[in-house]
Amino acid sequence: MTNIGVFDTGLGGLTVLSKLVESKKANYFYFGDTLRVPYGNRPKDEIFEFSCDIVDFLEKFDIDYYVIACNTISVTCLNLLEEKYKKTFIPITDGGLKAGRSIPGDLLVLATKATVDSHFYRDNIEKVGKKVYEVAGYNLVDLIENNQIESPKMDESLEEYLDLANKIQIPNILLGCTHFPLIKDEIGRKLTYEVNIIDPADYILDKIETNDNDLKIKIFLSQKSKIAESIIQSLIKFDYSLTYVDFV
Ligand code: DGL
């Protein structure tokens, strides 16, 4: 079977895993670092160090290739990980780029601080002649991981981060963080005009190559989390195993 490692800083990458398992059968090993999430406000060398801890853990499973189900790790560490592990890493940002370039109209990229600071999306999408606005949703990952999706703080934060979109009616919003599909409805409710909300995960499925007939899903998290189990159950419609590991 094809062993595919999928990883994120926490629960967000499960939104990517859910689409992968619907689309392609394989042996999936997911790791979410729920102990140390969020990474998005951390310095680049720390993000790389933590990402290596994750990959070191997954390497035990004889992984054929990886999907980096995290924009923050993709924009800060892709080259470093490829160099260190000499394996294929498919970054979720490939999907974001493909979508951003092909969908008509300007875009707002809502992402973490690290992703916005890299200007990866702006610099690569503006080349095809459209305007890219970037907004860092500083506290959104933290709120999601801490079970505050439906909370006054989430409400207030989204209002602030989507103010620009509402003011100038940007036609597309690219979810530049894999946690954000979990708050897609909350985002939609804050927008006062018709908007196209894009999930990059929909644009990387064709990169996954397998001819497997069976589907196996193993999920590893570095800390028990209040909402992990309900998020996994709502996203993953197949059998899976969930293990909490002490890995650092
Ligand atoms: N899901 C990660 C991303 O796509 C969140 C990063 C974080 O932990 O801040 O960027």
Side-chain angles (χ1 to χ4, degrees):
M1 278 186 83
T2 315
N3 294 335
I4 305 178
V6 183
F7 60 94
D8 179 42
T9 63
L11 303 173
L14 291 164
T15 64
V16 181
L17 182 71
S18 71
K19 293 191 171 169
L20 295 174
V21 300
E22 296 274 349
S23 143
K24 300 275 165 70
K25 290 194 171 102
N27 205 1
Y28 290 95
F29 296 85
Y30 179 89
F31 193 94
D33 192 3
T34 43
L35 174 68
R36 301 183 297 188
V37 68
Y39 287 17
N41 301 325
R42 296 180 190 271
K44 189 176 167 176
D45 53 353
E46 195 172 32
I47 298 173
F48 180 54
E49 186 194 324
F50 288 6
S51 304
C52 291
D53 290 337
I54 296 175
V55 177
D56 287 341
F57 175 84
L58 288 172
E59 278 290 88
K60 291 195 289 262
F61 300 104
D62 198 17
I63 299 295
D64 293 301
Y65 60 89
Y66 289 95
V67 174
I68 309 179
C70 174
N71 291 263
T72 302
I73 297 175
S74 300
V75 299
T76 53
C77 306
L78 173 63
N79 297 339
L80 297 168
L81 290 170
E82 284 171 340
E83 219 168 89
K84 178 165 176 177
Y85 294 96
K86 312 278 184 241
K87 287 211 168 163
T88 299
F89 289 84
I90 300 169
I92 184 66
T93 45
D94 277 3
L97 218 51
K98 187 173 171 193
R101 285 180 166 162
S102 58
I103 284 168
D106 293 343
L107 295 159
L108 177 123
V109 177
L110 183 62
T112 63
K113 179 181 181 310
T115 301
V116 167
D117 286 351
S118 77
H119 299 301
F120 172 86
Y121 282 120
R122 185 196 68 187
D123 294 350
N124 286 294
I125 297 174
E126 286 199 339
K127 283 183 191 149
V128 301
K130 50 176 85 188
K131 176 88 188 133
V132 177
Y133 303 87
E134 296 171 303
V135 171
Y138 290 92
N139 61 350
L140 296 178
V141 171
D142 212 27
L143 290 174
I144 294 166
E145 293 272 345
N146 286 298
N147 202 13
Q148 290 188 62
I149 290 180
E150 286 167 35
S151 69
K153 189 76 201 151
M154 176 65 80
D155 237 42
E156 211 176 278
S157 304
L158 286 177
E159 206 144 296
E160 181 191 330
Y161 301 142
L162 298 171
D163 183 54
L164 175 71
N166 280 327
K167 269 196 186 122
I168 60 173
Q169 308 218 327
I170 305 165
N172 301 292
I173 295 194
L174 188 132
L175 302 178
C177 170
T178 56
H179 280 75
F180 297 168
L182 294 167
I183 51 167
K184 191 175 173 192
D185 291 348
E186 285 69 20
I187 291 173
R189 279 199 290 275
K190 285 285 166 211
L191 292 161
T192 56
Y193 63 103
E194 188 89 13
V195 69
N196 180 24
I197 300 180
I198 304 162
D199 180 355
D202 293 324
Y203 294 80
I204 58 156
L205 302 176
D206 59 346
K207 293 193 170 248
I208 308 301
E209 286 170 16
T210 81
N211 289 315
D212 294 358
N213 295 319
D214 290 324
L215 174 68
K216 287 193 187 134
I217 307 168
K218 288 195 169 69
I219 298 171
F220 300 94
L221 300 177
S222 53
Q223 179 169 272
K224 206 166 170 50
S225 132
K226 264 192 198 157
I227 51 157
E229 282 162 47
S230 63
I231 287 184
I232 296 169
Q233 273 163 26
S234 71
L235 289 172
I236 309 291
K237 302 295 177 202
F238 303 95
D239 288 344
Y240 61 85
S241 69
L242 168 62
T243 313
Y244 295 102
V245 289
D246 259 342
F247 89 125
V248 280

